[in-house]
Each structure stands twice: as C-alpha cells, then as structure tokens.
Amino acid sequence: MLGCGRARAETRELGHELGPIAKLETPVRLRIAPLTGALRPKGYNECNPYCPLGLGPYAPFERVAIGKIMIPQKGGHTPDMGYDVVIHFHGGDAARKYLVQVARGVVLVTIDKGVGGGPYARAVASADVFPILKKSIERALQRHTGKKNAHIRHLALSAWSAGTVAVLKILAQGHTGIDAVIVLDGLHGAWKRATNRGLDPSLIDARFIEREIALAERARKGELTFVLTHTRVDPYVYPSTGSTAR
C-alpha cells in the first residue's frame, strides 16, 4: 500500500507537467460460485464444490513424477518464464474446482493417495522424492511452453486433512525453496496421557504439533507464508482440529 501511495503522488506531479494521465482499471475480482440450497441436494458441499468452469483457463492434466499437473493454457509466467506452483496433497479434485474459479495463472499439482496418512507418508518417505517431483514439474512446464528456461519461481505445499502428513515429512527432510505452506483441516494432535478426552485446548499434548508450531514461528519471522484452517468437526477418536488450533 505504501508503494501505491508513492505511485499516486508521482502521478499527480507528472500530470501537472504533462497533462491528464489515463486512470488504470481495477482488476475484476474473481469469485467462487456460491453453494446454494438448490445445489446441496444434488451432492455438492464444501468438500465437493460446485464448479461451472471445468478446467477453465487451464490445459488438460499431465502426469508428473507423483500426481498430475494443471498448467494455464496461456501466460501465468514472468518474463523469464517463472511459474508459481502449488503442490496439493489429498482432495485434489476439490482443490482444482476452487482454484480454476479464482486463480490468476497459478500452476496446480495434485497428489491423491487414498484414505489416511499412511499412504502419504510412504509416498514421500525417501528424501529423493521431492527433488525428483520438482524436476518433473519443471520438465512439464518446459514441454508446455517449448521454453527450456521455464521454471518454478515460487512454490507452495498445500494439504487437506490426511495429506498434511506428506507436507510435514517433506519439511522434516530439510528441503529448501518452499515459500508457503497451507494446512487445511489437517492440524491433527493428541490428548495428554491420563486426561479425559474433551474439547478443552488445555487437554491437548503440544508435542504432537511441534512442526506446525515451528512453521508458525517461521511465518512470524517472515521466513515463509503459513496458512492454517480448521473445522468444528469432532472426530471423537482424536482432538478436533479446532480444539488443537486453539
């Protein structure tokens, strides 16, 4: 906003010397199609959103080392062919439906391995998997554009629920070049021993969410962007993400 303020001041000064300057148009704000009462009986919900666009401005999916990639048909890159990439674990179709409606050129990689955290832990168990995945993403960008210098500019790791296991494992392996982490209803903790199970946050054993706490500290220092969401759903067998987040 400070930058915008400086730009306005400079525009006024130039206008005084050179005459009126054309007013820039405000970009249209893209919005997600509303989930109406008429859509819910048809099976649409927050985890199965309604999307009238299909792939929208994106080219058909291509396979990468693990998962599949969706690249904008046109544009989406900087002059030096840098792309912003989101790698999302678990619930890839829902992520695609939301993203195509509001994204402006972001590349999406989706990885689905089934139910529970185990398959995701095994998928990225080797520290070699993540570098191989990044290389395969850049090769896909190069094939799509025909440009050998197409590359990942910024990279975000994203996950819903069980997919968070893969994100935390990748982070524990010490890989660099990760600019943002998004955890959607995936803050899974545990109760302290010898306590009654309940929703009171004081019953939560913080040792089980040490990695997420460390992410929050890094974000506070400006080292990366960390987005965390939670729900009110009580799974009964472990604390709700809402209780754990509090």
Side-chain angles (χ1 to χ4, degrees):
M1 292 183 71
L2 289 173
C4 292
R6 287 196 297 270
R8 283 195 293 271
E10 291 169 3
T11 299
R12 285 194 294 270
E13 292 173 7
L14 290 171
H16 177 73
E17 297 177 5
L18 305 176
I21 295 177
K23 183 179 180 181
L24 296 176
E25 294 184 5
T26 303
V28 176
R29 183 177 181 182
L30 303 178
R31 297 181 182 276
I32 293 171
L35 189 59
T36 64
L39 289 172
R40 288 187 181 276
K42 297 179 181 180
Y44 295 106
N45 53 55
E46 287 75 9
C47 295
N48 179 33
Y50 171 68
C51 175
L53 298 182
L55 291 178
Y58 286 83
F61 277 107
E62 293 184 39
R63 300 301 302 179
V64 287
I66 55 172
K68 53 188 181 180
I69 187 170
M70 188 173 70
I71 306 171
Q73 295 180 39
K74 297 180 180 180
H77 56 78
T78 56
D80 67 345
M81 301 304 297
Y83 282 86
D84 293 341
V85 177
V86 176
I87 301 175
H88 180 82
F89 294 88
H90 200 53
D93 195 46
R96 185 266 306 171
K97 290 178 179 179
Y98 281 124
L99 185 137
V100 298
Q101 297 184 67
V102 297
R104 297 181 183 273
V106 175
V107 173
L108 176 66
V109 176
T110 60
I111 300 169
D112 287 289
K113 293 295 179 182
V115 179
Y120 290 98
R122 290 190 291 273
V124 297
S126 170
D128 294 330
V129 171
F130 187 61
I132 290 171
L133 174 59
K134 287 177 64 177
K135 288 180 181 177
S136 71
I137 291 170
E138 292 194 325
R139 285 197 297 267
L141 296 174
Q142 291 160 8
R143 287 195 304 270
H144 177 78
T145 61
K147 302 289 186 180
K148 292 183 178 180
N149 62 332
H151 63 279
I152 297 171
R153 182 177 74 130
H154 291 140
L155 178 63
L157 295 181
S158 171
W160 172 54
S161 192
T164 305
V165 173
V167 171
L168 296 179
K169 200 162 190 67
I170 289 170
L171 292 171
Q173 291 166 352
H175 299 291
T176 59
I178 299 170
D179 302 288
V181 176
I182 305 164
V183 175
L184 308 173
D185 199 29
L187 188 64
H188 299 307
W191 286 289
K192 294 177 181 176
R193 297 184 64 181
T195 59
N196 294 324
R197 298 183 178 185
L199 300 179
D200 189 333
S202 67
L203 303 176
I204 307 298
D205 191 334
R207 291 177 298 175
F208 288 87
I209 55 171
E210 287 179 344
R211 292 177 183 171
E212 289 92 338
I213 293 172
L215 280 173
E217 284 295 322
R218 290 182 62 191
R220 186 179 63 83
K221 296 175 182 177
E223 296 177 1
L224 52 64
T225 298
F226 180 39
V227 178
L228 172 69
T229 71
H230 59 81
T231 66
R232 298 178 182 177
V233 177
D234 187 354
Y236 302 108
V237 294
Y238 54 85
S240 69
T241 57
S243 297
T244 307
R246 297 206 312 269

